[in-house]
Amino acid sequence: MLRFAISRLVSLGLSLIVASLVIFAVIEGVPGDPAAFMLGLNADPAAVAALREELGLGGSLPARYLDWIGGMLRGDFGISYTYRVPVADLVAARLWVSLPLAAYALALSTAIAFPVGLIAAARRGTAVDAGIMGATQLGIAVPNFWFAMLLVLVFAIQLRLFSAGGFPGWDEGIWINVKALTLPAVALALPQASILARVMRSSVLETLGQDYIRTARAKGLTRRQAVFRHALRNAMIPVLTIIGLQFSFLLAGAIIIENVFFLPGLGRLIFQGITQRDLVVVESVVMLLVFAVITVNFLVDLAYAAVDPRLRRRR
Amino acid sequence: MRWPPALLLGGALTAVFAVAALVSFVWTPHGVEGLNIAEKLRTPGATYWLGTDHFGRDILSMLMVGARTSIAVAIVAVGMGVTLGVPLGLLAAARRGGLVDEVVMRGNDLIFAFPALVIAILITAVFGPSALNAILAIGIFNTPVFARVTRGAALSLWTLDYILAARVAGKGGFRISVEHILPNIANLLIVQATIQFSLGILAEAGLSYVGLGAQPPTPSWGRMLAESQTMISFAPHLAIFPGLAIVLTVLGLNLMGDGLRDLLDPRLRRAR
């Protein structure tokens, strides 16, 4: 296990280095002067020179790369050109919206998908199963931002149960913010729950066909007991894999959904960065997102090697 | 041979949108360019079947032209994924366990760490927004998907006797990959392409919605939704029809993928 963990850790480190090189190359290695690019075509040369100085564009490419990475490792993400404050502060503030939103959506989708998938598997071939499979098929096809707009139309505009967008801030109390995040989280959770319920169903069906379930039934357990004592635990491995893989979709989805509800999260920050040509913000936030995806995949790998020793030898 | 009902239903749905996109090249119920403020925000009726938007443009006509954008972006993006991913997957399988295999697979892992949206953000930050960015972003995202599917399927074929026979006959890794492996995994790739195509339609809509895809005046479903958002309280039809178009296209493609899988690989039928 230790050997496996170390080899995965080395691979994690390499992935992060290569990913950071790619991002750095795309943002700073493009032809032209980033400072001139950020200020636009008609910029005053003196202003461009000042910005070059401010962005630390003086040194060579390798020096600038090391500077950027070294800064990020110390928590210094540079200074935002438009906001004139450290990017790290901006990111920290926005994370308190994006992370709770993602966690809320993940909790919702898991809470829906597990029982629904299990019921579909237990009632395989019946009308209940067909209904659930049809509903999940639809859930996968619905773009989450459109579903979000429909939720706003029904629950905010018609029924006036929720506000159509915005985020009061955590100082205003917990419930009012949870309420503000509810529609976005539901919209984000729908496609995730649909995919997860389908994986859950096929995974439970797969384990139900195994010999050890037949053995369990033969020794006198009811079907229900066999499912809960033996099938469920074994069915969880592929389900956990999918939850891990979905993390990057959840992150991307959250970025889009924040736009629908005008939530001040990482998504809004990155889009403002793009429209205002604030490349320092874009570069750092993209690196942070990629870091999160790579790290989560690493943790998932490690988690199921811990659960299932057979997987340790595979790589 | 019995055709799976999912294939027929999905095929029919997909065909409707494909035909609508093709017809839009020669005919749409009304023009999609230019303003007609007198006719703005009409609700669905006899003249404008699906109503008009805030510029007086016919929604149905815009949906037809928008279908063109969505389908074109998705086709090119899937094509890019297949052209880059399949040869890489075949190469990795032919050199399984070797350095080339390792490099290809680690490269795949790396690209997987960049969600399509993040790739689009990076490209747009540098080159500015356009439909081409959406194609590139979705295409890059598709490449490791096809490389993985190809490699996985090819690996199991490499252990079979008829491949051994081909090697004994003196064929090299390249000829075996092209003449024996590729035809035998083609079914799998077709099914995967259908799935990626539907994901491509969804991704294109999402990217256009946040402004990273097709730019005005090119009509696109995602941008129609973005523009409708501020008017949703008094003109909900602006938001409802483009969304339905996306859902029905994606649903059609997914059903078609399921049906094709059942048709092409009867062994999988049991597992579903």
Side-chain angles (χ1 to χ4, degrees):
Chain A
M1 184 66 203
L2 187 66
R3 231 184 115 112
F4 176 83
I6 291 173
S7 87
R8 295 302 296 147
L9 199 62
V10 170
S11 159
L12 168 83
L14 280 177
S15 302
L16 286 174
I17 292 172
V18 179
S20 67
L21 279 171
V22 170
I23 294 170
F24 180 79
V26 171
I27 297 279
E28 303 205 20
V30 286
D33 181 353
F37 177 79
M38 285 166 76
L39 291 176
L41 286 175
N42 303 319
D44 174 19
V48 174
L51 182 61
R52 281 183 65 86
E53 194 59 38
E54 197 180 319
L55 293 175
L57 292 178
S60 64
L61 268 180
R64 259 155 49 201
Y65 171 75
L66 291 177
D67 208 38
W68 174 55
I69 287 298
M72 285 203 87
L73 288 177
R74 289 192 310 271
D76 172 12
F77 295 6
I79 307 280
S80 159
Y81 163 67
T82 41
Y83 293 93
R84 301 275 166 190
V85 290
V87 177
D89 295 357
L90 287 173
V91 168
R94 306 302 181 103
L95 269 180
W96 281 106
V97 180
S98 295
L99 273 185
L101 173 60
Y104 195 172
L106 188 65
L108 274 180
S109 71
T110 316
I112 298 167
F114 277 27
V116 167
L118 196 58
I119 291 170
R123 301 276 160 86
R124 183 191 184 184
T126 64
V128 175
D129 182 25
I132 289 176
M133 291 314 279
T136 55
Q137 188 74 266
L138 198 63
I140 292 172
V142 173
N144 51 18
F145 60 92
W146 183 59
F147 186 55
M149 288 165 70
L150 295 183
L151 289 175
V152 168
L153 183 62
V154 174
F155 291 100
I157 296 173
Q158 307 280 345
L159 300 177
R160 297 181 186 282
L161 290 175
F162 292 91
S163 68
F167 187 76
W170 291 107
D171 316 338
E172 304 286 320
I174 290 182
W175 278 113
I176 187 169
N177 289 296
V178 169
K179 202 178 162 192
L181 289 181
T182 297
L183 289 187
V186 170
L188 204 49
L190 171 87
Q192 311 285 333
S194 302
I195 295 169
L196 214 53
R198 292 175 83 92
V199 174
M200 182 78 186
R201 174 184 177 272
S202 63
S203 180
V204 170
L205 284 180
E206 183 95 352
T207 40
L208 282 181
Q210 300 289 326
D211 287 341
Y212 59 79
I213 296 295
R214 197 177 312 150
T215 309
R217 294 294 304 279
K219 75 173 187 186
L221 292 188
T222 63
R223 195 175 152 82
R224 176 181 292 263
Q225 285 170 324
V227 167
F228 279 98
R229 284 195 202 160
H230 300 287
L232 213 49
R233 285 176 62 167
N234 284 292
M236 287 316 290
I237 291 177
V239 176
L240 288 178
T241 313
I242 296 296
I243 293 182
L245 282 178
Q246 279 191 334
F247 181 76
S248 70
F249 288 99
L250 201 66
L251 217 57
I255 287 176
I256 292 183
I257 288 291
E258 281 170 12
N259 255 40
V260 183
F261 293 94
F262 308 103
L263 296 176
L266 280 183
R268 300 285 295 168
L269 182 66
I270 206 164
F271 285 118
Q272 282 164 356
I274 289 177
T275 45
Q276 293 158 348
R277 302 181 170 196
D278 199 340
L279 292 183
V280 183
V281 167
V282 176
E283 188 178 45
S284 299
V285 177
V286 164
M287 187 60 220
L288 205 65
L289 292 177
V290 171
F291 172 80
V293 174
I294 293 179
T295 310
V296 165
N297 287 341
F298 164 76
L299 291 176
V300 170
D301 263 7
L302 224 53
Y304 45 74
V307 175
D308 188 344
R310 284 169 300 183
L311 293 171
R312 283 173 216 166
R313 271 179 286 120
R314 210 184 53 192
R315 287 197 186 244
Chain B
M1 186 169 62
R2 265 194 74 232
W3 292 81
L7 180 59
L8 294 177
L9 181 62
L13 269 176
T14 311
V16 167
F17 286 95
V19 168
L22 287 176
V23 168
S24 78
F25 280 104
V26 289
W27 177 82
T28 51
H30 301 270
V32 293
E33 279 160 35
L35 311 181
N36 189 359
I37 300 299
E39 299 287 327
K40 73 171 185 182
L41 296 177
R42 288 285 159 96
T43 46
T47 322
Y48 301 100
W49 289 3
L50 301 182
T52 61
D53 72 356
H54 53 302
F55 292 131
R57 293 174 297 185
D58 178 42
I59 300 287
L60 179 60
S61 307
M62 289 185 67
L63 285 182
M64 287 172 69
V65 181
R68 216 152 81 186
T69 314
S70 288
I71 292 174
V73 168
I75 283 184
V76 180
V78 171
M80 190 174 150
V82 170
T83 336
L84 296 174
V86 172
L88 281 175
L90 286 175
L91 179 69
R95 299 264 183 279
R96 61 209 166 280
L99 183 66
V100 177
D101 185 20
E102 188 67 20
V103 169
V104 169
M105 293 317 286
R106 290 291 84 81
N108 273 345
D109 288 350
L110 186 71
I111 300 177
F112 260 126
F114 288 80
L117 181 72
V118 170
I119 302 177
I121 286 172
L122 265 181
I123 302 176
T124 308
V126 175
F127 298 107
S130 76
L132 186 67
N133 293 346
I135 292 177
L136 271 178
I138 303 169
I140 293 174
F141 179 76
N142 273 336
T143 304
V145 174
F146 282 101
R148 270 195 191 186
V149 170
T150 304
R151 178 180 176 272
L155 275 185
S156 61
L157 290 184
W158 271 102
T159 61
L160 298 183
D161 288 343
Y162 77 95
I163 299 292
L164 189 64
R167 292 180 69 176
V168 171
K171 290 190 181 180
F174 179 77
R175 278 190 69 187
I176 291 178
S177 292
V178 174
E179 292 174 14
H180 299 291
I181 307 271
L182 193 55
N184 280 298
I185 61 170
N187 285 348
L188 198 69
L189 293 179
I190 290 171
V191 172
Q192 192 65 41
T194 319
I195 297 168
Q196 295 309 120
F197 194 84
S198 83
L199 287 177
I201 299 262
L202 271 179
E204 193 276 336
L207 292 178
S208 302
Y209 172 77
V210 290
L212 300 180
Q215 295 298 303
T218 313
S220 94
W221 294 345
R223 251 212 13 267
M224 287 172 78
L225 284 176
E227 287 172 4
S228 75
Q229 201 178 335
T230 50
M231 296 175 274
I232 195 166
S233 59
F234 56 89
H237 67 279
L238 293 187
I240 286 170
F241 294 121
L244 276 181
I246 298 171
V247 171
L248 292 177
T249 311
V250 173
L251 192 63
L253 284 164
N254 284 341
L255 288 175
M256 207 166 95
D258 283 359
L260 276 176
R261 190 178 49 198
D262 290 352
L263 186 73
L264 299 175
D265 194 351
R267 279 167 303 175
L268 286 175
R269 237 174 263 170
R270 191 188 47 82
R272 278 183 68 227

